[in-house]
Short mmCIF file of all heavy atoms in Angstrom, two decimals:
data_model
loop_
_atom_site.label_atom_id
_atom_site.label_comp_id
_atom_site.label_asym_id
_atom_site.label_seq_id
_atom_site.Cartn_x
_atom_site.Cartn_y
_atom_site.Cartn_z
N MET A 1 0.84 -1.18 0.00
CA MET A 1 0.00 0.00 0.00
C MET A 1 0.89 1.24 0.00
O MET A 1 2.04 1.20 0.35
CB MET A 1 -0.88 0.04 1.25
CG MET A 1 -1.71 -1.19 1.49
SD MET A 1 -3.03 -1.27 0.33
CE MET A 1 -3.60 -2.89 0.65
N GLY A 2 0.34 2.32 -0.34
CA GLY A 2 1.10 3.54 -0.38
C GLY A 2 0.59 4.45 -1.46
O GLY A 2 -0.61 4.54 -1.68
N ARG A 3 1.52 5.06 -2.12
CA ARG A 3 1.15 6.02 -3.17
C ARG A 3 0.67 5.28 -4.42
O ARG A 3 1.20 4.25 -4.77
CB ARG A 3 2.34 6.88 -3.49
CG ARG A 3 2.90 7.59 -2.25
CD ARG A 3 3.95 8.59 -2.60
NE ARG A 3 3.37 9.79 -3.16
CZ ARG A 3 2.84 10.78 -2.45
NH1 ARG A 3 2.78 10.67 -1.14
NH2 ARG A 3 2.36 11.86 -3.02
N PRO A 4 -0.34 5.86 -5.10
CA PRO A 4 -0.80 5.22 -6.33
C PRO A 4 0.27 5.27 -7.41
O PRO A 4 1.09 6.20 -7.46
CB PRO A 4 -2.02 6.05 -6.73
CG PRO A 4 -1.97 7.28 -5.93
CD PRO A 4 -1.08 7.04 -4.76
N SER A 5 0.29 4.27 -8.27
CA SER A 5 1.24 4.25 -9.37
C SER A 5 0.63 3.46 -10.53
O SER A 5 -0.36 2.76 -10.37
CB SER A 5 2.55 3.61 -8.94
OG SER A 5 2.33 2.26 -8.59
N GLY A 6 1.25 3.57 -11.69
CA GLY A 6 0.81 2.81 -12.84
C GLY A 6 -0.21 3.50 -13.72
O GLY A 6 -0.72 2.92 -14.65
N PHE A 7 -0.54 4.75 -13.41
CA PHE A 7 -1.52 5.47 -14.20
C PHE A 7 -0.83 6.23 -15.33
O PHE A 7 0.29 6.69 -15.19
CB PHE A 7 -2.28 6.49 -13.34
CG PHE A 7 -3.24 5.85 -12.38
CD1 PHE A 7 -2.88 5.62 -11.07
CD2 PHE A 7 -4.51 5.50 -12.79
CE1 PHE A 7 -3.76 5.05 -10.19
CE2 PHE A 7 -5.40 4.91 -11.92
CZ PHE A 7 -5.03 4.69 -10.61
N ALA A 8 -1.54 6.36 -16.44
CA ALA A 8 -1.08 7.15 -17.57
C ALA A 8 -2.31 7.73 -18.26
O ALA A 8 -3.41 7.19 -18.13
CB ALA A 8 -0.30 6.29 -18.55
N TYR A 9 -2.12 8.83 -18.96
CA TYR A 9 -3.25 9.40 -19.70
C TYR A 9 -2.79 9.84 -21.07
O TYR A 9 -1.62 10.10 -21.30
CB TYR A 9 -3.90 10.55 -18.94
CG TYR A 9 -3.11 11.83 -18.89
CD1 TYR A 9 -3.31 12.83 -19.85
CD2 TYR A 9 -2.18 12.06 -17.91
CE1 TYR A 9 -2.59 14.01 -19.81
CE2 TYR A 9 -1.45 13.23 -17.85
CZ TYR A 9 -1.67 14.21 -18.81
OH TYR A 9 -0.95 15.37 -18.77
N GLU A 10 -3.76 9.89 -21.97
CA GLU A 10 -3.50 10.32 -23.34
C GLU A 10 -4.62 11.28 -23.73
O GLU A 10 -5.80 10.95 -23.62
CB GLU A 10 -3.51 9.11 -24.27
CG GLU A 10 -3.27 9.46 -25.71
CD GLU A 10 -3.31 8.22 -26.60
OE1 GLU A 10 -2.90 7.15 -26.13
OE2 GLU A 10 -3.75 8.36 -27.74
N SER A 11 -4.23 12.46 -24.16
CA SER A 11 -5.20 13.48 -24.56
C SER A 11 -5.33 13.46 -26.08
O SER A 11 -4.34 13.46 -26.80
CB SER A 11 -4.73 14.85 -24.09
OG SER A 11 -5.62 15.84 -24.54
N GLN A 12 -6.56 13.45 -26.55
CA GLN A 12 -6.82 13.45 -27.99
C GLN A 12 -7.63 14.69 -28.35
O GLN A 12 -8.75 14.86 -27.87
CB GLN A 12 -7.58 12.20 -28.40
CG GLN A 12 -6.81 10.94 -28.17
CD GLN A 12 -7.62 9.71 -28.54
OE1 GLN A 12 -8.83 9.77 -28.67
NE2 GLN A 12 -6.93 8.60 -28.71
N ALA A 13 -7.06 15.55 -29.16
CA ALA A 13 -7.72 16.76 -29.66
C ALA A 13 -8.17 17.70 -28.55
O ALA A 13 -9.01 18.55 -28.76
CB ALA A 13 -8.90 16.40 -30.56
N GLY A 14 -7.66 17.53 -27.35
CA GLY A 14 -7.98 18.42 -26.25
C GLY A 14 -9.38 18.28 -25.70
O GLY A 14 -9.75 18.92 -24.74
N THR A 15 -10.20 17.41 -26.30
CA THR A 15 -11.57 17.24 -25.82
C THR A 15 -11.84 15.86 -25.24
O THR A 15 -12.88 15.64 -24.64
CB THR A 15 -12.59 17.48 -26.95
OG1 THR A 15 -12.33 16.53 -27.99
CG2 THR A 15 -12.47 18.88 -27.50
N THR A 16 -10.91 14.93 -25.42
CA THR A 16 -11.06 13.57 -24.90
C THR A 16 -9.77 13.15 -24.23
O THR A 16 -8.69 13.35 -24.76
CB THR A 16 -11.39 12.58 -26.03
OG1 THR A 16 -12.57 13.02 -26.70
CG2 THR A 16 -11.62 11.19 -25.49
N VAL A 17 -9.91 12.56 -23.05
CA VAL A 17 -8.75 12.05 -22.31
C VAL A 17 -9.03 10.60 -21.94
O VAL A 17 -10.08 10.28 -21.38
CB VAL A 17 -8.49 12.87 -21.03
CG1 VAL A 17 -7.38 12.25 -20.20
CG2 VAL A 17 -8.16 14.31 -21.37
N HIS A 18 -8.09 9.71 -22.26
CA HIS A 18 -8.17 8.30 -21.89
C HIS A 18 -7.17 8.07 -20.77
O HIS A 18 -5.99 8.35 -20.93
CB HIS A 18 -7.84 7.40 -23.07
CG HIS A 18 -8.79 7.54 -24.21
ND1 HIS A 18 -10.04 6.98 -24.20
CD2 HIS A 18 -8.68 8.19 -25.39
CE1 HIS A 18 -10.66 7.28 -25.32
NE2 HIS A 18 -9.85 8.02 -26.07
N ILE A 19 -7.65 7.53 -19.65
CA ILE A 19 -6.77 7.22 -18.51
C ILE A 19 -6.66 5.70 -18.42
O ILE A 19 -7.66 4.99 -18.46
CB ILE A 19 -7.31 7.79 -17.20
CG1 ILE A 19 -7.47 9.31 -17.30
CG2 ILE A 19 -6.39 7.43 -16.04
CD1 ILE A 19 -8.10 9.95 -16.08
N THR A 20 -5.41 5.22 -18.31
CA THR A 20 -5.17 3.79 -18.16
C THR A 20 -4.47 3.52 -16.83
O THR A 20 -3.83 4.41 -16.26
CB THR A 20 -4.29 3.25 -19.30
OG1 THR A 20 -3.04 3.95 -19.30
CG2 THR A 20 -4.96 3.40 -20.65
N HIS A 21 -4.61 2.30 -16.36
CA HIS A 21 -3.94 1.87 -15.14
C HIS A 21 -3.25 0.55 -15.44
O HIS A 21 -3.92 -0.44 -15.76
CB HIS A 21 -4.96 1.71 -14.00
CG HIS A 21 -4.34 1.40 -12.69
ND1 HIS A 21 -4.64 0.26 -11.99
CD2 HIS A 21 -3.43 2.07 -11.95
CE1 HIS A 21 -3.95 0.25 -10.87
NE2 HIS A 21 -3.20 1.34 -10.83
N HIS A 22 -1.93 0.55 -15.41
CA HIS A 22 -1.11 -0.62 -15.77
C HIS A 22 -1.48 -1.14 -17.16
O HIS A 22 -1.60 -2.33 -17.37
CB HIS A 22 -1.23 -1.73 -14.73
CG HIS A 22 -0.66 -1.35 -13.40
ND1 HIS A 22 0.69 -1.12 -13.19
CD2 HIS A 22 -1.26 -1.14 -12.19
CE1 HIS A 22 0.89 -0.81 -11.93
NE2 HIS A 22 -0.28 -0.80 -11.30
N GLY A 23 -1.70 -0.21 -18.09
CA GLY A 23 -1.97 -0.56 -19.47
C GLY A 23 -3.40 -0.91 -19.79
O GLY A 23 -3.74 -1.15 -20.94
N ARG A 24 -4.28 -0.95 -18.80
CA ARG A 24 -5.68 -1.29 -19.03
C ARG A 24 -6.54 -0.04 -18.90
O ARG A 24 -6.30 0.81 -18.05
CB ARG A 24 -6.14 -2.34 -18.02
CG ARG A 24 -5.30 -3.61 -18.12
CD ARG A 24 -5.81 -4.64 -17.20
NE ARG A 24 -6.85 -5.36 -17.94
CZ ARG A 24 -7.53 -6.36 -17.43
NH1 ARG A 24 -7.33 -6.75 -16.21
NH2 ARG A 24 -8.43 -6.97 -18.14
N HIS A 25 -7.55 0.05 -19.73
CA HIS A 25 -8.43 1.22 -19.74
C HIS A 25 -9.10 1.38 -18.38
O HIS A 25 -9.67 0.44 -17.83
CB HIS A 25 -9.51 1.05 -20.82
CG HIS A 25 -10.46 2.18 -20.87
ND1 HIS A 25 -11.66 2.15 -20.22
CD2 HIS A 25 -10.38 3.38 -21.49
CE1 HIS A 25 -12.28 3.30 -20.43
NE2 HIS A 25 -11.52 4.05 -21.21
N ALA A 26 -9.04 2.59 -17.83
CA ALA A 26 -9.67 2.87 -16.55
C ALA A 26 -10.89 3.76 -16.74
O ALA A 26 -11.95 3.49 -16.18
CB ALA A 26 -8.69 3.53 -15.59
N THR A 27 -10.76 4.83 -17.52
CA THR A 27 -11.89 5.73 -17.77
C THR A 27 -11.60 6.62 -18.96
O THR A 27 -10.45 6.77 -19.37
CB THR A 27 -12.21 6.58 -16.52
OG1 THR A 27 -13.47 7.21 -16.69
CG2 THR A 27 -11.16 7.63 -16.26
N THR A 28 -12.65 7.22 -19.48
CA THR A 28 -12.55 8.19 -20.56
C THR A 28 -13.28 9.45 -20.12
O THR A 28 -14.42 9.37 -19.65
CB THR A 28 -13.19 7.65 -21.86
OG1 THR A 28 -12.50 6.46 -22.24
CG2 THR A 28 -13.08 8.67 -22.98
N LEU A 29 -12.63 10.58 -20.26
CA LEU A 29 -13.23 11.87 -19.92
C LEU A 29 -13.40 12.67 -21.19
O LEU A 29 -12.52 12.66 -22.06
CB LEU A 29 -12.33 12.64 -18.95
CG LEU A 29 -11.93 11.91 -17.67
CD1 LEU A 29 -10.88 12.71 -16.91
CD2 LEU A 29 -13.14 11.66 -16.80
N GLN A 30 -14.53 13.38 -21.30
CA GLN A 30 -14.79 14.16 -22.50
C GLN A 30 -15.28 15.55 -22.13
O GLN A 30 -15.85 15.76 -21.05
CB GLN A 30 -15.85 13.48 -23.37
CG GLN A 30 -15.41 12.15 -23.91
CD GLN A 30 -16.48 11.48 -24.73
OE1 GLN A 30 -17.66 11.76 -24.58
NE2 GLN A 30 -16.08 10.61 -25.63
N GLY A 31 -15.06 16.49 -23.02
CA GLY A 31 -15.59 17.83 -22.88
C GLY A 31 -15.04 18.59 -21.69
O GLY A 31 -13.82 18.64 -21.46
N ASP A 32 -15.95 19.15 -20.90
CA ASP A 32 -15.57 19.97 -19.75
C ASP A 32 -14.80 19.18 -18.70
O ASP A 32 -13.85 19.68 -18.11
CB ASP A 32 -16.83 20.60 -19.13
CG ASP A 32 -16.50 21.53 -17.99
OD1 ASP A 32 -15.61 22.39 -18.19
OD2 ASP A 32 -17.11 21.40 -16.91
N ARG A 33 -15.20 17.93 -18.48
CA ARG A 33 -14.50 17.10 -17.49
C ARG A 33 -13.06 16.85 -17.92
O ARG A 33 -12.14 16.86 -17.10
CB ARG A 33 -15.22 15.77 -17.29
CG ARG A 33 -16.58 15.97 -16.62
CD ARG A 33 -17.23 14.67 -16.25
NE ARG A 33 -16.49 14.11 -15.13
CZ ARG A 33 -16.32 12.82 -14.93
NH1 ARG A 33 -16.81 11.94 -15.76
NH2 ARG A 33 -15.64 12.38 -13.88
N ALA A 34 -12.85 16.63 -19.22
CA ALA A 34 -11.49 16.42 -19.73
C ALA A 34 -10.65 17.67 -19.54
O ALA A 34 -9.49 17.60 -19.13
CB ALA A 34 -11.53 16.03 -21.20
N ALA A 35 -11.23 18.84 -19.80
CA ALA A 35 -10.50 20.10 -19.63
C ALA A 35 -10.14 20.34 -18.16
O ALA A 35 -9.03 20.76 -17.85
CB ALA A 35 -11.33 21.26 -20.17
N ARG A 36 -11.08 20.06 -17.27
CA ARG A 36 -10.80 20.23 -15.83
C ARG A 36 -9.71 19.27 -15.38
O ARG A 36 -8.83 19.62 -14.59
CB ARG A 36 -12.06 20.02 -15.00
CG ARG A 36 -13.02 21.21 -15.09
CD ARG A 36 -14.15 21.08 -14.12
NE ARG A 36 -14.99 19.95 -14.53
CZ ARG A 36 -15.68 19.19 -13.69
NH1 ARG A 36 -15.65 19.40 -12.41
NH2 ARG A 36 -16.42 18.21 -14.13
N PHE A 37 -9.76 18.02 -15.85
CA PHE A 37 -8.74 17.04 -15.51
C PHE A 37 -7.36 17.50 -15.98
O PHE A 37 -6.40 17.45 -15.22
CB PHE A 37 -9.07 15.67 -16.12
CG PHE A 37 -7.92 14.71 -16.04
CD1 PHE A 37 -7.63 14.05 -14.86
CD2 PHE A 37 -7.12 14.47 -17.14
CE1 PHE A 37 -6.56 13.17 -14.78
CE2 PHE A 37 -6.05 13.59 -17.08
CZ PHE A 37 -5.77 12.94 -15.89
N LEU A 38 -7.27 17.93 -17.23
CA LEU A 38 -5.97 18.37 -17.78
C LEU A 38 -5.42 19.55 -17.00
O LEU A 38 -4.22 19.63 -16.74
CB LEU A 38 -6.11 18.72 -19.25
CG LEU A 38 -6.33 17.52 -20.18
CD1 LEU A 38 -6.65 17.99 -21.59
CD2 LEU A 38 -5.12 16.61 -20.17
N GLY A 39 -6.28 20.49 -16.60
CA GLY A 39 -5.83 21.62 -15.80
C GLY A 39 -5.31 21.19 -14.45
O GLY A 39 -4.33 21.74 -13.94
N GLU A 40 -5.97 20.20 -13.86
CA GLU A 40 -5.56 19.74 -12.54
C GLU A 40 -4.29 18.88 -12.59
O GLU A 40 -3.40 19.03 -11.76
CB GLU A 40 -6.70 18.94 -11.91
CG GLU A 40 -6.46 18.58 -10.47
CD GLU A 40 -7.65 17.93 -9.82
OE1 GLU A 40 -8.78 18.13 -10.30
OE2 GLU A 40 -7.44 17.20 -8.84
N VAL A 41 -4.20 17.99 -13.58
CA VAL A 41 -3.07 17.06 -13.61
C VAL A 41 -1.77 17.75 -14.02
O VAL A 41 -0.69 17.37 -13.56
CB VAL A 41 -3.37 15.84 -14.51
CG1 VAL A 41 -3.24 16.17 -15.98
CG2 VAL A 41 -2.48 14.67 -14.16
N THR A 42 -1.85 18.78 -14.86
CA THR A 42 -0.62 19.46 -15.29
C THR A 42 -0.02 20.31 -14.19
O THR A 42 1.19 20.51 -14.16
CB THR A 42 -0.86 20.33 -16.54
OG1 THR A 42 -1.92 21.23 -16.27
CG2 THR A 42 -1.19 19.47 -17.74
N GLY A 43 -0.84 20.78 -13.26
CA GLY A 43 -0.32 21.61 -12.17
C GLY A 43 -0.13 20.87 -10.88
O GLY A 43 0.20 21.45 -9.85
N ALA A 44 -0.33 19.56 -10.89
CA ALA A 44 -0.28 18.78 -9.66
C ALA A 44 1.13 18.38 -9.29
O ALA A 44 1.96 18.11 -10.15
CB ALA A 44 -1.13 17.52 -9.81
N ALA A 45 1.36 18.31 -7.98
CA ALA A 45 2.65 17.82 -7.48
C ALA A 45 2.75 16.31 -7.67
O ALA A 45 3.84 15.78 -7.89
CB ALA A 45 2.81 18.17 -6.01
N ASP A 46 1.63 15.61 -7.59
CA ASP A 46 1.60 14.15 -7.77
C ASP A 46 0.51 13.78 -8.77
O ASP A 46 -0.64 13.54 -8.40
CB ASP A 46 1.35 13.46 -6.43
CG ASP A 46 1.49 11.95 -6.52
OD1 ASP A 46 1.80 11.43 -7.61
OD2 ASP A 46 1.28 11.28 -5.49
N PRO A 47 0.84 13.73 -10.07
CA PRO A 47 -0.17 13.41 -11.07
C PRO A 47 -0.78 12.02 -10.89
O PRO A 47 -1.92 11.79 -11.26
CB PRO A 47 0.57 13.50 -12.40
CG PRO A 47 1.92 14.01 -12.12
CD PRO A 47 2.13 14.03 -10.64
N GLN A 48 -0.03 11.07 -10.32
CA GLN A 48 -0.56 9.73 -10.09
C GLN A 48 -1.76 9.78 -9.15
O GLN A 48 -2.76 9.10 -9.35
CB GLN A 48 0.52 8.81 -9.52
CG GLN A 48 1.63 8.48 -10.49
CD GLN A 48 1.14 7.60 -11.63
OE1 GLN A 48 0.49 6.58 -11.42
NE2 GLN A 48 1.45 8.01 -12.85
N LEU A 49 -1.67 10.60 -8.12
CA LEU A 49 -2.76 10.74 -7.16
C LEU A 49 -3.97 11.37 -7.82
O LEU A 49 -5.11 10.96 -7.57
CB LEU A 49 -2.29 11.57 -5.96
CG LEU A 49 -3.28 11.73 -4.82
CD1 LEU A 49 -3.68 10.37 -4.27
CD2 LEU A 49 -2.69 12.58 -3.73
N VAL A 50 -3.76 12.35 -8.68
CA VAL A 50 -4.86 13.00 -9.40
C VAL A 50 -5.57 11.98 -10.28
O VAL A 50 -6.81 11.90 -10.29
CB VAL A 50 -4.35 14.19 -10.23
CG1 VAL A 50 -5.45 14.75 -11.12
CG2 VAL A 50 -3.80 15.27 -9.33
N MET A 51 -4.82 11.18 -11.02
CA MET A 51 -5.43 10.18 -11.90
C MET A 51 -6.17 9.12 -11.09
O MET A 51 -7.25 8.67 -11.49
CB MET A 51 -4.38 9.56 -12.81
CG MET A 51 -3.93 10.51 -13.90
SD MET A 51 -2.76 9.77 -15.04
CE MET A 51 -1.21 10.18 -14.22
N ALA A 52 -5.61 8.72 -9.96
CA ALA A 52 -6.29 7.74 -9.11
C ALA A 52 -7.60 8.29 -8.60
O ALA A 52 -8.62 7.59 -8.59
CB ALA A 52 -5.38 7.35 -7.94
N ARG A 53 -7.60 9.55 -8.23
CA ARG A 53 -8.82 10.17 -7.72
C ARG A 53 -9.88 10.28 -8.81
O ARG A 53 -11.06 10.00 -8.58
CB ARG A 53 -8.50 11.54 -7.14
CG ARG A 53 -9.61 12.12 -6.31
CD ARG A 53 -9.15 13.33 -5.52
NE ARG A 53 -8.32 14.26 -6.23
CZ ARG A 53 -8.78 15.14 -7.12
NH1 ARG A 53 -10.04 15.20 -7.40
NH2 ARG A 53 -7.94 15.97 -7.73
N TRP A 54 -9.49 10.67 -10.00
CA TRP A 54 -10.44 10.82 -11.11
C TRP A 54 -11.01 9.49 -11.56
O TRP A 54 -12.12 9.43 -12.07
CB TRP A 54 -9.81 11.55 -12.28
CG TRP A 54 -9.87 13.04 -12.12
CD1 TRP A 54 -9.03 13.82 -11.40
CD2 TRP A 54 -10.83 13.93 -12.69
NE1 TRP A 54 -9.41 15.14 -11.50
CE2 TRP A 54 -10.52 15.22 -12.28
CE3 TRP A 54 -11.93 13.74 -13.52
CZ2 TRP A 54 -11.26 16.34 -12.66
CZ3 TRP A 54 -12.67 14.85 -13.90
CH2 TRP A 54 -12.34 16.13 -13.46
N THR A 55 -10.27 8.40 -11.40
CA THR A 55 -10.78 7.10 -11.80
C THR A 55 -11.51 6.40 -10.67
O THR A 55 -12.17 5.39 -10.89
CB THR A 55 -9.65 6.17 -12.28
OG1 THR A 55 -8.73 5.99 -11.21
CG2 THR A 55 -8.97 6.72 -13.50
N GLY A 56 -11.40 6.92 -9.45
CA GLY A 56 -12.04 6.28 -8.30
C GLY A 56 -11.23 5.12 -7.76
O GLY A 56 -11.68 4.38 -6.91
N ASN A 57 -10.00 4.95 -8.24
CA ASN A 57 -9.16 3.84 -7.85
C ASN A 57 -8.16 4.28 -6.78
O ASN A 57 -6.98 4.42 -7.04
CB ASN A 57 -8.44 3.30 -9.09
CG ASN A 57 -7.68 2.04 -8.79
OD1 ASN A 57 -7.71 1.55 -7.68
ND2 ASN A 57 -6.98 1.52 -9.77
N TYR A 58 -8.65 4.51 -5.58
CA TYR A 58 -7.77 4.90 -4.49
C TYR A 58 -8.41 4.51 -3.17
O TYR A 58 -9.63 4.38 -3.08
CB TYR A 58 -7.46 6.39 -4.52
CG TYR A 58 -8.66 7.29 -4.29
CD1 TYR A 58 -8.89 7.84 -3.05
CD2 TYR A 58 -9.54 7.57 -5.32
CE1 TYR A 58 -9.98 8.65 -2.84
CE2 TYR A 58 -10.62 8.38 -5.12
CZ TYR A 58 -10.84 8.91 -3.88
OH TYR A 58 -11.93 9.71 -3.67
N LYS A 59 -7.62 4.32 -2.17
CA LYS A 59 -8.12 3.96 -0.85
C LYS A 59 -8.59 5.21 -0.13
O LYS A 59 -8.02 6.28 -0.25
CB LYS A 59 -7.01 3.29 -0.02
CG LYS A 59 -6.52 2.00 -0.62
CD LYS A 59 -7.54 0.93 -0.43
CE LYS A 59 -7.00 -0.39 -0.97
NZ LYS A 59 -7.91 -1.47 -0.81
N ARG A 60 -9.63 5.05 0.65
CA ARG A 60 -10.21 6.19 1.34
C ARG A 60 -9.79 6.28 2.80
O ARG A 60 -10.12 7.22 3.47
CB ARG A 60 -11.73 6.11 1.22
CG ARG A 60 -12.18 6.36 -0.20
CD ARG A 60 -13.54 5.79 -0.46
NE ARG A 60 -13.90 5.91 -1.85
CZ ARG A 60 -13.57 5.06 -2.79
NH1 ARG A 60 -12.81 4.02 -2.51
NH2 ARG A 60 -13.97 5.23 -4.03
N GLY A 61 -9.13 5.26 3.30
CA GLY A 61 -8.63 5.30 4.67
C GLY A 61 -9.60 4.73 5.69
O GLY A 61 -9.27 4.65 6.87
N ASN A 62 -10.79 4.34 5.29
CA ASN A 62 -11.76 3.84 6.26
C ASN A 62 -12.03 2.35 6.11
O ASN A 62 -12.98 1.83 6.68
CB ASN A 62 -13.08 4.61 6.12
CG ASN A 62 -13.71 4.42 4.77
OD1 ASN A 62 -13.14 3.79 3.90
ND2 ASN A 62 -14.90 4.97 4.59
N GLU A 63 -11.19 1.64 5.37
CA GLU A 63 -11.44 0.23 5.11
C GLU A 63 -11.41 -0.61 6.39
O GLU A 63 -12.24 -1.48 6.58
CB GLU A 63 -10.41 -0.34 4.11
CG GLU A 63 -10.61 0.17 2.71
CD GLU A 63 -10.02 1.54 2.48
OE1 GLU A 63 -9.26 2.03 3.35
OE2 GLU A 63 -10.32 2.14 1.45
N ARG A 64 -10.45 -0.34 7.28
CA ARG A 64 -10.35 -1.12 8.51
C ARG A 64 -11.56 -0.87 9.40
O ARG A 64 -12.13 -1.80 9.97
CB ARG A 64 -9.07 -0.78 9.26
CG ARG A 64 -8.90 -1.63 10.50
CD ARG A 64 -7.57 -1.39 11.17
NE ARG A 64 -6.51 -1.81 10.28
CZ ARG A 64 -5.30 -1.29 10.25
NH1 ARG A 64 -4.98 -0.34 11.10
NH2 ARG A 64 -4.39 -1.72 9.43
N ILE A 65 -11.99 0.36 9.48
CA ILE A 65 -13.16 0.70 10.31
C ILE A 65 -14.40 0.00 9.75
O ILE A 65 -15.19 -0.58 10.49
CB ILE A 65 -13.37 2.22 10.35
CG1 ILE A 65 -12.19 2.88 11.05
CG2 ILE A 65 -14.67 2.59 11.04
CD1 ILE A 65 -12.15 4.38 10.91
N ALA A 66 -14.58 0.04 8.44
CA ALA A 66 -15.75 -0.58 7.82
C ALA A 66 -15.73 -2.09 8.00
O ALA A 66 -16.77 -2.71 8.23
CB ALA A 66 -15.81 -0.23 6.34
N ARG A 67 -14.56 -2.70 7.91
CA ARG A 67 -14.45 -4.15 8.06
C ARG A 67 -14.86 -4.58 9.47
O ARG A 67 -15.44 -5.65 9.65
CB ARG A 67 -13.02 -4.58 7.78
CG ARG A 67 -12.84 -6.09 7.82
CD ARG A 67 -11.43 -6.52 7.46
NE ARG A 67 -10.56 -5.44 7.07
CZ ARG A 67 -9.30 -5.29 7.48
NH1 ARG A 67 -8.76 -6.18 8.27
NH2 ARG A 67 -8.58 -4.29 7.09
N ASN A 68 -14.59 -3.77 10.46
CA ASN A 68 -14.88 -4.12 11.85
C ASN A 68 -16.29 -3.75 12.29
O ASN A 68 -16.68 -4.03 13.41
CB ASN A 68 -13.87 -3.47 12.78
CG ASN A 68 -12.48 -4.05 12.59
OD1 ASN A 68 -12.34 -5.20 12.19
ND2 ASN A 68 -11.47 -3.26 12.86
N HIS A 69 -17.07 -3.13 11.43
CA HIS A 69 -18.44 -2.73 11.78
C HIS A 69 -19.28 -3.99 11.94
O HIS A 69 -19.15 -4.94 11.17
CB HIS A 69 -19.02 -1.84 10.68
CG HIS A 69 -20.29 -1.19 11.08
ND1 HIS A 69 -21.50 -1.82 10.97
CD2 HIS A 69 -20.54 0.04 11.61
CE1 HIS A 69 -22.45 -1.02 11.40
NE2 HIS A 69 -21.89 0.11 11.79
N PRO A 70 -20.17 -4.04 12.94
CA PRO A 70 -20.98 -5.24 13.18
C PRO A 70 -21.77 -5.71 11.96
O PRO A 70 -21.95 -6.91 11.74
CB PRO A 70 -21.93 -4.82 14.30
CG PRO A 70 -21.24 -3.71 14.98
CD PRO A 70 -20.42 -3.02 13.94
N ARG A 71 -22.22 -4.79 11.13
CA ARG A 71 -22.99 -5.15 9.94
C ARG A 71 -22.15 -5.93 8.94
O ARG A 71 -22.67 -6.74 8.18
CB ARG A 71 -23.52 -3.85 9.31
CG ARG A 71 -24.24 -4.05 8.00
CD ARG A 71 -24.67 -2.74 7.38
NE ARG A 71 -23.51 -1.91 7.10
CZ ARG A 71 -23.41 -0.62 7.40
NH1 ARG A 71 -24.39 0.00 8.00
NH2 ARG A 71 -22.32 0.06 7.11
N ASN A 72 -20.83 -5.70 8.92
CA ASN A 72 -19.95 -6.31 7.93
C ASN A 72 -19.22 -7.57 8.44
O ASN A 72 -18.43 -8.14 7.71
CB ASN A 72 -18.92 -5.30 7.45
CG ASN A 72 -19.60 -4.15 6.73
OD1 ASN A 72 -20.63 -4.32 6.10
ND2 ASN A 72 -19.02 -2.97 6.84
N ARG A 73 -19.48 -7.95 9.66
CA ARG A 73 -18.85 -9.15 10.19
C ARG A 73 -19.58 -10.38 9.68
O ARG A 73 -20.79 -10.39 9.56
CB ARG A 73 -18.85 -9.14 11.71
CG ARG A 73 -17.91 -8.09 12.24
CD ARG A 73 -17.82 -8.18 13.74
NE ARG A 73 -17.06 -7.03 14.22
CZ ARG A 73 -17.16 -6.56 15.43
NH1 ARG A 73 -17.99 -7.12 16.31
NH2 ARG A 73 -16.45 -5.53 15.80
N GLY A 74 -18.83 -11.41 9.37
CA GLY A 74 -19.37 -12.64 8.80
C GLY A 74 -20.21 -13.39 9.70
O GLY A 74 -21.12 -14.03 9.67
#
């Protein structure tokens, strides 16, 4: 566990962005969402974290708490 890695993105014509994770398609952003993503990822200190957040592929920090909740016990 730790910092996200393995993400890459490819911008096509400035209106479409394809994000991959370890070579596999993760998501496609178009239009305004693609523009906002490009603005955020180019100015980010950690672009991997930005891509993980945009794809929803990141840990939220509450997994241990949720696992121990009475509703989630086997």
Side-chain angles (χ1 to χ4, degrees):
M1 306 287 170
R3 304 188 76 81
S5 64
F7 289 97
Y9 72 93
E10 179 181 327
S11 177
Q12 297 178 342
T15 60
T16 303
V17 175
H18 298 283
I19 301 176
T20 59
H21 186 239
H22 294 294
R24 301 183 87 180
H25 179 265
T27 192
T28 300
L29 306 172
Q30 296 179 336
D32 184 49
R33 293 187 72 213
R36 285 188 293 149
F37 168 78
L38 289 172
E40 188 174 336
V41 77
T42 55
D46 187 1
Q48 291 292 310
L49 185 58
V50 172
M51 287 183 270
R53 194 168 43 77
W54 275 82
T55 60
N57 187 2
Y58 65 99
K59 298 286 183 179
R60 291 158 186 85
N62 62 356
E63 289 81 12
R64 183 175 296 151
I65 295 168
R67 184 177 356 136
N68 292 332
H69 191 276
R71 175 183 61 226
N72 296 329
R73 290 186 188 156

